[in-house]
Amino acid sequence: MRKHAAKSQDDATIDMTPMLDIVFIMLIFFIVTAAFVKEAGIDVTRPLSQTSVPQSKANIMIAVSDQNEVWMQKKRVDVRAIRANVERLRAENPEGTVVIQADTAAKAGVMTDVVDAVRAAGVMDYVVSTRDQ
C-alpha cells in the first residue's frame, strides 16, 4: 500500500501549458485592442481656461508652437498636410478625437488653418487643449 500511495503523489502534477496559452492569448488581445496616443512632439504653453473639461479618448495630437510651426507625431508638418495626416490617423483609430494644442503666443490665423484642415478631414469632434487656472 505504501508504494501505491507514494506513486500516486508523484503522478499528481499540474500541466501549466493550457494556462500559459490563455495568458499569451490575453496578452495579444490587450495589445491589439489598446489605443495608443499619437503625441505632437513639442511642449507648448497652453492658455488658461476656467471651463476646461478633461478629454478621455484623445489620440491625435496637433501642436502649434509659439513660432507658428505645426507639429504632428514628433515631426514638423505643413498646414496643407494636416488633412491627409488626420485622415490616416483617424482611419487607424476611428474612436479617437483630435486635440489641438496651441501655444498662447501662436497666431490665430495658424490656429484657424489647423481647425479648417481638421474639419476638412471629416473630424468634427476636436478639442482645443487648455490648462486649469
Side-chain angles (χ1 to χ4, degrees):
M1 271 306 223
R2 288 185 183 178
K3 286 184 179 182
H4 182 62
K7 186 177 178 184
S8 66
Q9 285 182 351
D10 290 338
D11 291 338
T13 59
I14 298 174
D15 187 17
M16 298 296 284
T17 306
M19 187 177 75
L20 290 173
D21 289 343
I22 291 171
V23 169
F24 283 125
I25 289 171
M26 288 174 54
L27 179 66
I28 291 169
F29 173 76
F30 288 123
I31 289 172
V32 169
T33 60
F36 298 101
V37 174
K38 309 290 185 192
E39 295 184 11
I42 61 169
D43 291 327
V44 296
T45 306
R46 297 173 293 159
L48 295 172
S49 174
Q50 296 177 359
T51 60
S52 62
V53 178
Q55 187 68 21
S56 62
K57 38 181 201 173
N59 293 77
I60 303 170
M61 307 289 239
I62 303 172
V64 181
S65 71
D66 54 348
Q67 271 82 40
N68 299 311
E69 299 170 336
V70 181
W71 290 77
M72 288 182 73
Q73 294 183 304
K74 300 181 182 178
K75 293 182 277 189
R76 185 176 173 199
V77 295
D78 189 43
V79 174
R80 297 172 296 212
I82 293 173
R83 178 180 178 177
N85 285 323
V86 170
E87 287 174 345
R88 179 180 50 83
L89 293 171
R90 189 66 182 238
E92 291 175 9
N93 186 6
E95 297 292 319
T97 58
V98 175
V99 175
I100 301 169
Q101 301 172 324
D103 196 282
T104 55
K107 291 185 179 178
V110 175
M111 179 67 180
T112 304
D113 293 341
V114 170
V115 170
D116 285 343
V118 168
R119 294 187 77 175
V123 178
M124 299 302 165
D125 56 343
Y126 61 91
V127 294
V128 177
S129 180
T130 60
R131 57 189 166 111
D132 291 333
Q133 288 186 344

